[in-house]
Amino acid sequence: MGAYVARRLLLAAVAIFGVLVITFFLSHIVPGDPVAAILGPQAPEDVIEELRHRWGLDRPIPEQFLLYLRRLAQGDFGQSLATHRPVLQDLKEFFPATVELATASILVGVAAGLAVGILSAISRGSWLDHLVRFVSLIGLSMPVFWLGLIALLIFYYNLGWLPGPGQIDVYLLRPPWVTGLITVDALIARDFEVFRNALRHLVLPAFVLGSHAMVGIARITRASMLEVLGQEYIKTARAKGLPERIVILRHALKNALLPIITVIGIYYGSLLEGAVLTETVFAWPGLGRYATSAILSQDFAAIMGVTILIALIFSFANLAVDLAYAFLNPKIRYE
Amino acid sequence: MNRSRCMLVVLVTLALLVTGWVPNVNGQVAKTLLVLGRLISDAVSLDPAQAFEFTSVWVDKQVYDTLVDFSKDFSRAVPMLARSWTVSPDGKTYTFRLRSGVKFHSGNPVDAKAVEFSIRRVFRLKLTPSFIVTSFIDKPEDVVAIGRDQVQITFNQPMPETMMASVLANPVTGIVDPALIQKNATPDDPMANKWLSTNDAGSGPFILRSWRRNVRIDLEAFPEYWRGRPKLNRIILLEMPEPTTQLLALQRGDIDAAMSLLPRQYRELAGRKDIIVKSSPTFSLRYLAMNVGYEPFSKVQVRNAVKWAIDYDAIKRIWEDAIDPGQTIVPARMFGHLPERPYRKNVERARSLMREAGYERGFKAELLTVPDPPLPDVAAKIKEDLAAIGIDVEVKQLRSADLLGIYRAQKHQMVIARWGADYPDPDNLAKAFADFDMRQLAYRNQWDHPVKQLVKQAVGELDRKKREELYKRIQKITLEEGPYVVFAYPLRQIALRANVKGLEPSPLYETYDLFEVWKE
């Protein structure tokens, strides 16, 4: 097992390096002028040239790449052209908000998706099944941006049940920065008012963002459960007179989990990339908006930083999924 | 009750407790607190020597004082930290006498040395907005403290009063506390630019308390401000990038002002009792530029044919009335504005100009724009209008990084863009649009016209009447021969809760004086 993990980590490093090379050259060969974009249409030419020189953007691209690699090896991700700060500092600041939202969303997605998927599978062909499939089709095709606005309109504006945009109410002070996750930092600081408030602020964006994951997980759960429910050992379990609950949860679900886990891993990975539209609607200071503005203004160092982070997330998500296989199915062993 | 049912009950109870099953009462912001919803993620640095984005300039306007300010109508300079001044007969040297007893937020006194230090610091740092200073003052030594309360500044040309204020009322010349800068300087950063990017060293009506990027900026009243204590205790700028979210928060009363709604949303708010919408034309313009380096546009008749072919009323409708129509390069309300709007859609006239230029069979041209609404619609309308006179326009939507790269390299044929005044004097616009040597818009569009001599002459003209005449001539020539179709001056709009008083949008970027703002 240890050797397997080591080999996978090595492979991940190679993959990340590949991603790095491709992203660097792609982002440098597309036309456009990052300095001009960041300084806007009115900055004088000499200021632009000065900055271009200062950032080393007037050097040949291979030279810029080697320089970048050398800095990266020293743990320096470079400076963002847009924020004029080290990229690592930006990532540290914006990533926790994304982690918090993505985790809440995947929890919502998994809980609701599993429940709906199982219900739909065990009542296959009934009105409930049709309803679930219809709703999930709509859910899958509904733009998350629109869903976010509608959710705000109903639950924040009309009913007033949940707070509006932002991570906490404007009157509350953010607890001291330890992990960057507001809920966790509030618990560390024993500030339960902020904790409660932050959780309430999480509800709407997590449901909106989790809805897509929920639909995906529900569909795969239904399909996977249907396949397992037709197996001989399920008939045996039923014939033995086991309660239906035990048959479904212990015998069927456990065996149906492998493809579901894969989907969950992929969803969580993509949620961790940041969700620019949800972040925009809910004024959520996450990675999605940072990444998007970096791409739009061709902010090289920021693009590279975000890319490395995402590549890392996916490598680890895949590894975690594969290890989960072994845990769930004793027949799978890695050597 | 079995185990799983127990679990369910516990979970549901926990969820209800956590989310607090109490409906939110309609938000109401405290009376001495002003909460503003807007986009703040543009801010890069709050150091006045570096601030060049809307939000950072906005904040610095509240945190830092300048020597002078503009009168409300931007027609003259009014005292701020300088209580009076004298000008040398050649109009180049200004001597300012400072107010006494003014303190920085730190408690240190604001004196002549601090003024000298602050403006010289702009030269040392040489950051983006420094050109506003270095274009008019040659070297740091031209700013000299005389004793404790006088400062002498020598400009590199005669400076009419509004030109002087254009430099010295600009937030880039905000006065910083030298003692704090020295205290926070490092060998790599002797001017403490990094520290000042997120900290306060000012003497303005509000103190910068904190800035969480992409989240919020907190300001607090400075009780010992020389004009008196501000009426508001605290101001919070909240990041709200989505206009609809801003609108909902404003309507619920969770924020006091929404500053970046869509034109349609401002219109929908009209007529409500609890919310008022204020608007002001801005010192900026939306225009179409034609590159004179592209053969067909080298002919003035072709450029004018384009001006006669466009349906200006339709374009105003596309902009949903959020613009103030105008065709000259100096915006309305600015000194020297020429209120002429000769062009309106006249296809016959446009066609005859095309014939005169030898292009009766038309030509192809590429029109660049960014995909920000409603620009693609404006571009589509222009394509339709120009098709009527035989110009086959291909619209290309690009990221601004790409568009600006092409525009600056003079590789475009036509482009839709915007320009905003860096300072409220016609010189700024005349230089950009008509002086080829400035390497701004006239340069990018390769329009090297003798009108540039008038631009150079006008900036130093001390006789106000003559100066105004010069700018009107420059505008007339640019209107009749230049490579620009000026559509309009965009409006700046804000929506406020009705109990917010004294908050007025300004025509000059986003400068709001919050010192006088209060809530009923």
Side-chain angles (χ1 to χ4, degrees):
Chain A
M1 188 75 153
Y4 173 75
V5 173
R7 204 172 65 230
R8 283 290 301 267
L9 287 177
L10 195 70
L11 277 175
V14 174
I16 290 169
F17 184 76
V19 169
L20 209 120
V21 174
I22 294 171
T23 316
F24 189 93
F25 284 96
L26 271 185
S27 61
H28 279 71
I29 55 171
V30 291
D33 182 346
V35 180
I38 281 151
L39 295 183
Q42 297 183 211
E45 297 289 333
D46 52 336
V47 173
I48 291 197
E49 258 139 49
E50 149 100 30
L51 200 62
R52 209 176 273 148
H53 181 70
R54 202 188 300 171
W55 294 104
L57 295 172
D58 50 356
R59 301 191 192 176
I61 294 175
E63 193 185 327
Q64 287 185 45
F65 183 62
L66 288 180
L67 211 68
Y68 180 79
L69 281 187
R70 194 190 307 157
R71 287 206 200 117
L72 195 63
Q74 296 161 356
D76 177 3
F77 279 58
Q79 283 222 345
S80 153
L81 293 173
T83 63
H84 288 232
R85 296 197 307 174
V87 169
L88 207 56
Q89 192 183 346
D90 282 343
L91 294 180
K92 274 184 196 159
E93 192 163 330
F94 299 129
F95 191 48
T98 294
V99 171
E100 209 160 18
L101 181 56
T103 308
S105 307
I106 201 73
L107 287 179
V108 168
V110 169
L114 278 181
V116 168
I118 295 171
L119 271 182
S120 175
I122 56 180
S123 51
R124 181 187 189 179
S126 72
W127 64 269
L128 185 71
D129 183 30
H130 290 306
L131 182 75
V132 164
R133 289 167 65 191
F134 180 68
V135 170
S136 53
L137 192 69
I138 292 179
L140 208 56
S141 40
M142 193 131 57
V144 81
F145 178 75
W146 184 83
L147 198 65
L149 286 177
I150 294 296
L152 270 179
L153 188 70
I154 297 174
F155 296 102
Y156 163 61
Y157 180 70
N158 282 324
L159 299 174
W161 288 356
L162 289 164
Q167 287 182 289
I168 46 171
D169 279 355
V170 67
Y171 316 101
L172 293 174
L173 277 181
R174 197 199 180 288
W177 186 282
V178 184
T179 60
L181 309 168
I182 289 199
T183 43
V184 178
D185 287 354
L187 285 180
I188 292 174
R190 293 174 179 277
D191 189 338
F192 297 108
E193 193 189 353
V194 170
F195 175 72
R196 240 177 61 132
N197 191 271
L199 275 188
R200 293 188 49 172
H201 274 266
L202 260 173
V203 174
L204 276 187
F207 268 88
V208 167
L209 199 55
S211 67
H212 266 222
M214 184 202 92
V215 170
I217 293 167
R219 288 165 71 97
I220 198 87
T221 304
R222 180 181 179 277
S224 183
M225 281 293 281
L226 283 178
E227 198 189 316
V228 172
L229 284 173
Q231 300 287 330
E232 294 296 327
Y233 59 84
I234 296 293
K235 284 182 195 154
T236 316
R238 280 189 179 133
K240 276 195 324 194
L242 284 179
E244 189 63 11
R245 190 166 50 83
I246 304 281
V247 175
I248 299 297
L249 293 181
R250 206 168 290 166
H251 293 258
L253 181 61
K254 201 170 174 194
N255 285 297
L257 266 181
L258 287 195
I260 303 173
I261 292 285
T262 314
V263 170
I264 292 174
I266 292 170
Y267 272 116
Y268 192 44
S270 54
L271 284 172
L272 282 173
E273 273 177 45
V276 60
L277 295 177
T278 314
E279 286 175 12
T280 305
V281 172
F282 290 96
W284 204 266
L287 195 66
R289 288 188 55 220
Y290 179 71
T292 311
S293 70
I295 292 166
L296 287 178
S297 57
Q298 227 170 318
D299 185 349
F300 298 131
I303 294 175
M304 298 300 295
V306 172
T307 309
I308 294 171
L309 182 65
I310 292 173
L312 274 173
I313 290 169
F314 269 95
S315 303
F316 280 103
N318 277 330
L319 184 59
V321 164
D322 287 350
L323 294 181
Y325 285 170
F327 175 74
L328 287 168
N329 187 347
K331 278 196 282 183
I332 299 176
R333 280 287 165 264
Y334 300 112
E335 263 136 45
Chain B
M1 204 163 10
N2 65 25
R3 213 178 56 180
S4 54
R5 239 176 241 162
C6 243
M7 278 278 278
L8 191 73
V9 171
V10 169
L11 274 177
V12 170
T13 321
L14 204 67
L16 290 182
L17 272 178
V18 152
T19 57
W21 196 246
V22 199
N24 270 12
V25 270
N26 239 26
Q28 203 163 45
V29 182
K31 257 190 187 173
T32 52
L33 165 67
L34 186 73
V35 183
L36 306 163
R38 55 171 292 148
L39 194 79
I40 63 164
S41 48
D42 62 326
V44 169
S45 163
L46 301 180
D47 182 339
Q50 187 174 7
F52 199 53
E53 309 76 41
F54 287 129
T55 300
S56 35
V57 168
W58 196 103
V59 170
D60 283 352
K61 180 88 185 152
Q62 320 306 328
V63 174
Y64 294 90
D65 270 334
T66 42
L67 278 180
V68 297
D69 200 356
F70 276 100
S71 59
K72 289 230 182 315
D73 63 355
F74 293 91
S75 67
R76 58 196 174 83
V78 295
M80 281 293 277
L81 287 179
R83 64 180 157 92
S84 63
W85 56 87
T86 54
V87 197
S88 64
D90 66 356
K92 287 185 175 180
T93 304
Y94 278 72
T95 308
F96 298 90
R97 187 169 285 276
L98 302 185
R99 233 169 259 284
S100 56
V102 179
K103 282 183 184 164
F104 283 111
H105 302 152
S106 62
N108 296 328
V110 178
D111 57 15
K113 272 285 170 207
V115 175
E116 180 192 275
F117 176 85
S118 302
I119 302 178
R120 288 185 177 185
R121 185 173 175 269
V122 176
F123 280 89
R124 290 277 301 272
L125 284 170
K126 230 183 137 195
L127 295 164
T128 314
S130 64
F131 73 94
I132 293 165
V133 176
T134 56
S135 308
F136 300 101
I137 304 173
D138 279 339
K139 50 188 189 303
E141 297 74 33
D142 291 339
V143 181
V144 187
I146 305 169
R148 274 185 67 80
D149 67 343
Q150 283 194 66
V151 180
Q152 193 172 69
I153 299 179
T154 308
F155 294 93
N156 59 12
Q157 59 167 64
M159 293 287 269
E161 192 182 88
T162 50
M163 279 304 300
M164 175 276 285
S166 294
V167 179
L168 298 179
N170 192 291
V172 70
T173 56
I175 308 306
V176 301
D177 185 343
L180 279 183
I181 298 297
Q182 275 145 18
K183 195 176 141 201
N184 292 288
T186 62
D188 291 349
D189 185 13
M191 285 288 123
N193 165 246
K194 207 170 162 197
W195 177 80
L196 199 56
S197 286
T198 52
N199 287 284
D200 174 320
S203 62
F206 293 93
I207 303 169
L208 170 67
R209 277 291 171 228
S210 69
W211 171 26
R212 263 201 77 202
R213 269 175 212 261
N214 295 9
V215 180
R216 65 194 267 174
I217 299 174
D218 284 59
L219 305 178
E220 193 179 294
F222 177 39
E224 290 170 73
Y225 187 50
W226 61 270
R227 283 154 80 191
R229 192 193 163 94
K231 292 177 176 123
L232 294 167
N233 270 344
R234 283 176 72 197
I235 299 170
I236 300 174
L237 293 172
L238 269 191
E239 166 84 346
M240 282 198 185
E242 167 53 39
T244 308
T245 315
Q246 251 182 57
L247 181 69
L248 295 179
L250 178 74
Q251 288 177 330
R252 269 192 69 84
D254 284 346
I255 57 174
D256 293 305
M259 307 185 70
S260 38
L261 301 183
L262 301 172
R264 174 177 47 81
Q265 293 170 325
Y266 284 114
R267 261 210 325 270
E268 283 165 11
L269 286 172
R272 277 184 67 130
K273 280 209 181 100
D274 54 341
I275 291 169
I276 38 174
V277 174
K278 296 199 168 181
S279 57
S280 156
T282 51
F283 291 157
S284 62
L285 30 107
R286 291 281 195 185
Y287 68 94
L288 167 94
M290 297 165 265
N291 188 345
V292 175
Y294 180 54
E295 216 281 319
F297 294 133
S298 67
K299 297 204 158 47
V300 68
Q301 295 94 328
V302 173
R303 302 200 293 266
N304 287 347
V306 170
K307 293 174 196 170
W308 283 108
I310 287 174
D311 184 347
Y312 297 87
D313 293 333
I315 286 180
K316 185 174 189 314
R317 279 195 299 276
I318 295 174
W319 247 296
E320 302 190 72
D321 297 324
I323 53 172
D324 198 19
Q327 295 181 343
T328 46
I329 56 167
V330 175
R333 281 182 60 174
M334 190 186 271
F335 165 70
H337 168 66
L338 177 72
E340 280 189 17
R341 273 168 62 193
Y343 301 109
R344 60 193 181 283
K345 187 171 178 163
N346 185 336
V347 177
E348 272 323 300
R349 190 155 177 183
R351 279 197 189 126
S352 96
L353 282 165
M354 290 287 278
R355 269 197 301 279
E356 218 176 280
Y359 278 103
E360 60 270 47
R361 302 181 61 177
F363 58 90
K364 278 182 189 265
E366 198 176 77
L367 172 61
L368 308 182
T369 178
V370 287
D372 304 346
L375 294 185
D377 295 340
V378 173
K381 179 69 188 134
I382 290 168
K383 177 183 167 79
E384 182 192 319
D385 289 344
L386 296 190
I389 61 168
I391 303 179
D392 179 10
V393 174
E394 189 196 342
V395 177
K396 255 196 180 168
Q397 293 187 33
L398 301 172
R399 296 180 309 169
S400 64
D402 305 341
L403 186 141
L404 288 173
I406 295 171
Y407 195 13
R408 282 182 186 273
Q410 304 172 318
K411 287 186 181 143
H412 63 292
Q413 292 170 355
M414 296 168 102
V415 61
I416 303 178
R418 67 180 300 165
W419 188 269
D422 293 308
Y423 47 85
D425 188 279
D427 170 63
N428 185 250
L429 296 135
K431 272 185 179 147
F433 283 89
D435 186 348
F436 182 85
D437 302 336
M438 289 307 294
R439 296 189 68 191
Q440 292 180 330
L441 301 181
Y443 170 82
R444 285 179 211 167
N445 291 296
Q446 303 187 57
W447 187 53
D448 193 358
H449 189 280
V451 70
K452 68 184 181 188
Q453 299 309 335
L454 291 181
V455 179
K456 293 184 199 340
Q457 186 190 336
V459 61
E461 177 56 63
L462 295 175
D463 183 317
R464 199 171 158 85
K465 193 80 211 136
K466 280 189 194 154
R467 191 161 186 253
E468 187 173 5
E469 279 316 309
L470 280 170
Y471 284 116
K472 289 195 166 157
R473 268 176 67 196
I474 293 166
Q475 287 171 81
K476 183 102 178 148
I477 294 168
T478 314
L479 185 68
E480 288 171 354
E481 300 176 42
Y484 317 104
V485 182
V486 174
F487 298 117
Y489 317 120
L491 295 178
R492 171 159 301 118
Q493 294 178 291
I494 47 171
L496 305 167
R497 301 289 306 176
N499 64 337
V500 178
K501 306 290 174 191
L503 186 58
E504 298 291 338
S506 157
L508 182 64
Y509 27 85
E510 292 200 45
T511 47
Y512 297 83
D513 187 359
L514 295 183
F515 174 69
E516 307 253 15
V517 175
W518 57 286
K519 282 165 77 177
E520 229 168 32

